[in-house]
Amino acid sequence: MNIKQIKKKYTCLDFLGKPAKRTAHGFLYHAPWREDTHPSLSVTVNGRGWHDMATGEHGSVIDLVMRCLNTTNVKRACEELERQAPLSSSFSPLMISGEEKKKEQRFTKFEVVKLQSPGLFAYLHHRKIDLQIAKQFLQEARYSFKEVDDDRYLYALAYVNDKGGYELRSSIYKGGTTPKTITTHWLVDGAPVVVFEGFMDMLSFATLCGKVRHNYIVLNSTVNAPAAIDVLRSITDKVLLCLDNDEAGDDTTKQMFDVLPLAVDIRSRFAPAKDVNEYLVNKKV
């Protein structure tokens, strides 16, 4: 298809999926190319145009994909859109029933391969993660939510936990597979153990250190704190708590302190940022 045909066939809604909020003038999203606590990416009702309220940038669906990939290569953006949009359009402006929502997150295709897609490398670049460090911990998931008769698929960063489940992340998707639990990395003999909520913060921490200098435990969700505590009870080396600077992080840190009184809370090093990745993204070189 040529550019005109692609613009006619696909909308920003196809590429971005479900919005954070619906307004009288369209839809609001969190801008995929930065930490965007309050959604500032506005998409028109028909999905044909977008406007970044923080920077004034705007354009068509192809411009949007180029912005997400941090490229000026129109051909590459079109290829990326054709690759993702046909399967990522799980959002409809119409109300979706509860049963349909349940079906929506069922994978009809799921496989894990070596991290290789340029779009995922671009996403890591936007988050300022060192790619060589990322490759030590991440794989690539290729998946879809509906049956297709060709090789089309969505893709996301895949981070495996200690029971074989995966946390999945991309610029347009945040999800995972079961079973859910923590991920432990015993990498450096005698080094402290640093505890994070999510793998992006772990990768950000290692990036800031310049290389892997510690052992890591990633909760993958604060509900998994008890599992981490069970592991850490037997650890005699220093335990560093690096959870988020928010209410959930406060509660989980206290929960861990109650059992691990010798642990050290290092979150203040990254304040006022919410987490390590936000600190990294905003850090001036």
Side-chain angles (χ1 to χ4, degrees):
M1 288 188 290
N2 58 36
I3 294 176
K4 185 176 181 180
Q5 291 171 321
I6 287 176
K7 286 183 177 180
K8 183 177 180 180
K9 182 174 181 179
Y10 303 125
T11 70
C12 299
L13 303 176
D14 291 324
F15 186 72
L16 294 170
K18 290 185 178 179
K21 184 178 181 181
R22 183 167 185 170
T23 71
H25 304 290
F27 307 93
L28 287 178
Y29 289 85
H30 296 281
W33 46 84
R34 64 168 177 271
E35 291 296 320
D36 192 15
T37 305
H38 301 289
S40 60
L41 178 62
S42 176
V43 176
T44 58
V45 175
N46 63 10
R48 298 295 174 187
W50 61 277
H51 172 234
D52 186 337
M53 294 184 289
T55 66
E57 295 172 276
H58 61 279
S60 68
V61 62
I62 294 177
D63 297 314
L64 174 66
V65 179
M66 286 195 295
R67 185 65 183 85
C68 286
L69 296 179
N70 191 30
T71 182
T72 57
N73 189 322
V74 175
K75 181 180 178 181
R76 179 184 169 196
C78 290
E79 290 174 348
E80 191 77 9
L81 182 58
E82 288 193 278
R83 184 179 186 181
Q84 290 212 41
L87 291 178
S88 64
S89 185
S90 56
F91 166 69
S92 169
L94 301 176
M95 292 298 290
I96 302 174
S97 71
E99 189 60 32
E100 287 173 322
K101 285 181 179 179
K102 290 179 182 178
K103 292 179 181 178
E104 193 177 24
Q105 296 302 314
R106 293 175 183 167
F107 295 114
T108 58
K109 172 187 175 69
F110 187 87
E111 64 175 338
V112 176
V113 300
K114 179 182 177 181
L115 183 59
Q116 58 193 270
S117 292
L120 295 179
F121 289 133
Y123 176 58
L124 289 166
H125 177 74
H126 289 316
R127 304 291 289 264
K128 293 191 176 180
I129 303 296
D130 182 280
L131 295 183
Q132 295 308 311
I133 290 174
K135 289 177 181 179
Q136 296 179 49
F137 298 94
L138 300 179
Q139 295 170 279
E140 177 176 320
R142 295 180 174 180
Y143 64 95
S144 66
F145 293 123
K146 61 184 180 181
E147 296 292 343
V148 294
D149 55 6
D150 55 27
D151 290 330
R152 290 178 299 166
Y153 52 80
L154 292 165
Y155 56 83
L157 300 173
Y159 177 68
V160 68
N161 65 40
D162 286 359
K163 291 185 178 179
Y166 288 93
E167 297 299 312
L168 306 175
R169 299 290 184 275
S170 73
S171 62
I172 62 171
Y173 181 69
K174 180 178 181 178
T177 68
T178 56
K180 300 283 190 180
T181 192
I182 63 173
T183 305
T184 56
H185 299 285
W186 308 111
L187 305 166
V188 184
D189 289 343
V193 183
V194 192
V195 183
F196 304 94
E197 285 188 33
F199 71 84
M200 276 295 182
D201 291 322
M202 177 198 71
L203 297 176
S204 299
F205 186 88
T207 296
L208 288 165
C209 290
K211 65 177 183 178
V212 176
R213 301 176 184 273
H214 304 78
N215 299 303
Y216 307 128
I217 293 181
V218 179
L219 300 183
N220 294 316
S221 170
T222 54
V223 300
N224 294 325
I229 290 172
D230 286 343
V231 172
L232 291 168
R233 287 179 193 274
S234 61
I235 301 297
T236 56
D237 295 319
K238 182 182 288 187
V239 175
L240 307 177
L241 303 180
C242 193
L243 307 178
D244 289 0
N245 285 310
D246 58 13
E247 186 176 351
D250 293 341
D251 292 344
T252 306
T253 299
K254 181 180 183 304
Q255 180 184 356
M256 301 189 81
F257 265 137
D258 288 344
V259 183
L260 307 165
L262 297 181
V264 178
D265 183 3
I266 64 171
R267 295 181 299 160
S268 61
R269 298 182 188 181
F270 307 102
K274 176 181 176 294
D275 54 36
V276 188
N277 185 247
E278 183 177 295
Y279 174 87
L280 175 63
V281 169
N282 294 328
K283 186 176 184 295
K284 297 186 185 302
V285 179

